Amino acid sequence: MADITRLDSGPRMSQAAIHNGMVYLAGQVGVAGESVAAQTKTILQRIDDLLARAGSDKSRILQATIWLDDMANFAEMNSVWDAWVDTSNPPARAAGESKLATPEYKVEIIIVAAQSA
């Protein structure tokens, strides 16, 4: 069985798990209470950082799952996402509405990516 590498592990979870050339990120959130755009920017920077540490980058993202506290925030989140995403290699993506950990969180993004060759 291939080894599993975990990044930023705590008693409940790891921020990333790497196995068999795949990178699985935990749901990333921004700073509670900030705007949807600010939270999305923070989340995408965290994703960039975790992927780099895992030997990957946004061009290698296979799937993104985006949770919003309110679908009314979809356009605001997308304005930041669209400026960040690798348009030559866009991932499969889903977005939906859900109650998040606290009402101050507006966005959570979960990523699955391939490691770089």
Side-chain angles (χ1 to χ4, degrees):
M1 176 165 17
D3 288 335
I4 300 171
T5 302
R6 300 177 196 282
L7 302 178
D8 301 339
S9 296
R12 178 174 292 148
M13 60 185 269
S14 298
Q15 290 300 313
I18 306 158
H19 175 70
N20 235 10
M22 299 293 294
V23 181
Y24 304 88
L25 299 187
Q28 299 299 305
V29 294
V31 177
E34 289 191 339
S35 70
V36 170
Q39 287 188 31
T40 304
K41 286 178 188 174
T42 299
I43 291 165
L44 297 177
Q45 182 59 57
R46 290 179 179 164
I47 289 169
D48 281 335
D49 293 346
L50 283 165
L51 289 176
R53 290 174 53 207
S56 188
D57 63 59
K58 65 184 171 186
S59 74
R60 310 280 297 164
I61 296 174
L62 302 171
Q63 182 179 38
T65 304
I66 302 171
W67 293 113
L68 298 163
D69 72 325
D70 186 332
M71 286 305 289
N73 296 325
F74 189 65
E76 185 177 354
M77 178 279 301
N78 268 332
S79 69
V80 178
W81 175 273
D82 290 345
W84 172 83
V85 73
D86 182 341
T87 56
S88 296
N89 299 290
R93 192 186 99 163
E97 181 177 303
S98 180
K99 288 185 179 182
L100 301 179
T102 72
E104 293 81 23
Y105 288 129
K106 305 294 181 192
V107 184
E108 182 172 352
I109 302 177
I110 304 162
I111 295 292
V112 177
Q115 285 184 299
S116 298

